[in-house]
Amino acid sequence: MAPLFSRSPRKSPADRLVTLIGKPGCHLCDDAQTVIEQICTETGASWERKDITQDPALHHKYWEQIPVILVDGAQHDFWRVDPKRLRKALGA
């Protein structure tokens, strides 16, 4: 009999990807990048930055929320990054 709740193996932080969606000249985006760089350096997670001014689909979806932070493609946060919450999401 299969268990009611099955858990997939937990990913290590090194297998995670954090995506920062923002735009140039956005001070909140710069602040978010500083936190993300620090946490990803500490945990070994990878990160990338996407510019909404270069991608119409991202602009349409996120323009009111930037900066938006995704973890493995799923929205994690917007406007501000909570370092403790991001570490937890990365499994660190």
Side-chain angles (χ1 to χ4, degrees):
M1 182 149 118
L4 290 176
F5 299 101
S6 63
R7 293 185 183 189
S8 56
R10 197 173 163 131
K11 285 185 176 181
S12 81
D15 296 328
R16 310 304 293 264
L17 175 64
V18 178
T19 304
L20 169 61
I21 300 171
K23 69 177 184 176
C26 167
H27 74 280
L28 290 177
C29 301
D30 294 339
D31 292 347
Q33 181 173 331
T34 300
V35 173
I36 290 167
E37 285 178 334
Q38 178 184 356
I39 303 299
C40 288
T41 298
E42 288 173 12
T43 63
S46 299
W47 77 277
E48 64 183 356
R49 184 171 181 152
K50 293 189 177 183
D51 181 350
I52 66 166
T53 66
Q54 302 299 313
D55 186 325
L58 289 177
H59 184 272
H60 178 74
K61 186 171 183 177
Y62 295 119
W63 73 274
E64 290 183 320
Q65 295 179 331
I66 63 165
V68 174
I69 298 82
L70 311 178
V71 174
D72 294 334
Q75 188 168 343
H76 170 73
D77 235 333
F78 63 97
W79 294 337
R80 304 231 184 251
V81 182
D82 180 332
K84 188 175 185 178
R85 189 167 174 264
L86 182 57
R87 278 187 193 93
K88 185 176 179 180
L90 294 174

